[in-house]
Amino acid sequence: MQHKKRILTGDRPTGQLHLGHYVGTLKNRVRLQDDYDCFFIIADLQMLTDHLEEYASIEGNVFEVMCDYLGVGLRPENTFFVQSQVPELAELTMYFSFLVTLARLQRNPTVKDEAKTYGVTSMSYGFLGYPVSQAADILAFKADLIPIGQDQLPHVEQTREIVRSFNRIFDKEVFVLPQPLVGEVPILVGTDGDNKMSKSLDNFIAFAHSPQETERRILNMVTDHKRAYRKDPGHPDECFTFRYWSIFSPSDTPLVCRECESATRGCKECKTQLAIKLNDYLVEIRERRQQYASQPDLVWDILATGTRRARVVAAETLAEVREAMKISFPQLLMKGGK
Ligand code: TRP
């Protein structure tokens, strides 16, 4: 039997996941989970790059992300694991750190954006270097495919460069080149109509939000700047709310478009209807999420099983890496008496 190819992807546990994650990457993961051997990393250490002072919320956030994962329909049989509990990843990060120049890290556009968003002027070594740690996350599992949001592309590119350097310098094909895969809506603009949907900007709709909260957030959305009065015809192509219709309820768009252009539909009722559609869209996810959230022991168990498996796989890769780098020292292992 031919082995399945492997996926590795994941998220920082900075809080609950939202619709931006869904259309950017989670839908891809759900779609591909039967065809690939899937590893999902909850990158708690990476969260410390720019959320260091929130370290005390890691455990709760990891639980929330797991509920989101299982809620959107990722099956518990996949390998879910916590980054910090696989120490081989820290070890591999150390080895890779010699293969990447400072200048290269300083050019990473996503790192630059994040520093700007969080107002980081003096960057820590770990923050600047996290793309190297992300390469270790991917390569410890020799993943073939990396389903991610568009902002993660530079990190996969960095990973591919590390593969080439490592294999060349240590003269062994230890690693394969991973391929990125971006979702159907690479960047979902948040409910403010201006910025990428994100928790820190509070322009998001989370799976964990109630239908009422979702409606409130939709009703606050901007619509068509050019339409001053209810009786004026609207311009769907220039309306931010209309974009959400086309993403989350495409079959309704011809009707919405007609009614908007003929001014038979007002913006407020349009948004009320959109909220209903969106809540319908999320019903199943929220129910499943709630079922898992009410069984914490089960959720932690799924994560424990996955983390054990991740360690076994990462340890195999690390043995190969040390061997290629001539740092396995079999003499010392034998003298240790074990
Ligand atoms: N950088 C990702 C995020 O911000 C999380 C992440 C950590 C990741 N390691 C990864 C994603 C490996 C894909 C592959 O959400």
Side-chain angles (χ1 to χ4, degrees), residues 8-12 41 43 46 134 137-138 146 148 152 155:
L8 182 131
T9 184
D11 296 274
R12 297 177 183 188
I41 183 169
Q46 193 181 106
Q134 185 151 334
D137 299 340
I138 293 171
I146 320 296
I148 37 167
Q152 301 295 302
H155 304 338

Side-chain angles (χ1 to χ4, degrees), residues 7 9-11 20 28 43 54 79 87 102 106 142 153 163 190 192 196 202 218 228 231-232 254 274 291 301 315 325:
I7 275 178
T9 184
D11 296 274
N28 267 341
E54 289 170 35
T79 304
L102 271 188
Q106 280 159 344
K142 300 193 178 179
L153 285 174
V163 169
D192 58 359
K196 187 174 87 173
D202 200 21
I218 293 287
K231 64 174 176 29
D232 295 345
L274 175 66
Q291 274 168 19
D301 237 33
M325 294 177 70

Side-chain angles (χ1 to χ4, degrees), residues 50-203:
D50 50 17
H51 289 76
L52 185 58
E53 64 301 336
E54 289 170 35
Y55 68 91
S57 54
I58 286 182
E59 196 182 297
N61 288 355
V62 167
F63 182 75
E64 294 291 326
V65 171
M66 270 305 283
C67 291
D68 286 329
Y69 279 171
L70 297 163
V72 296
L74 294 177
R75 275 191 296 282
E77 296 75 32
N78 290 303
T79 304
F80 299 93
F81 66 101
V82 182
Q83 186 185 30
S84 63
Q85 302 310 297
V86 182
E88 288 79 4
L89 298 178
E91 184 183 345
L92 192 56
T93 302
M94 171 75 179
Y95 302 155
F96 286 166
S97 72
F98 304 112
L99 307 178
V100 183
T101 65
L102 271 188
R104 174 65 182 90
L105 290 171
Q106 280 159 344
R107 279 201 305 273
N108 186 307
T110 298
V111 173
K112 284 201 248 177
D113 277 357
E114 284 164 347
K116 207 157 97 198
T117 306
Y118 296 108
V120 176
T121 45
S122 167
M123 206 180 270
S124 74
Y125 164 60
F127 190 160
L128 184 68
Y130 91 75
V132 178
S133 144
Q134 185 151 334
D137 299 340
I138 293 171
L139 297 179
F141 304 96
K142 300 193 178 179
D144 302 285
L145 188 69
I146 320 296
I148 37 167
Q150 177 158 282
D151 59 332
Q152 301 295 302
L153 285 174
H155 304 338
V156 179
E157 189 45 43
Q158 175 69 83
T159 305
R160 292 168 59 89
E161 288 172 27
I162 290 176
V163 169
R164 292 194 196 95
S165 309
F166 188 98
N167 290 352
R168 177 175 47 78
I169 293 170
F170 300 109
D171 198 21
K172 201 164 170 226
E173 295 292 306
V174 174
F175 296 112
V176 291
L177 284 174
Q179 298 288 343
L181 176 71
V182 174
E184 56 186 279
V185 184
I187 296 178
L188 180 69
V189 174
T191 52
D192 58 359
D194 277 333
N195 299 289
K196 187 174 87 173
M197 184 175 277
S198 89
K199 183 174 165 263
S200 48
L201 296 170
D202 200 21
N203 64 356

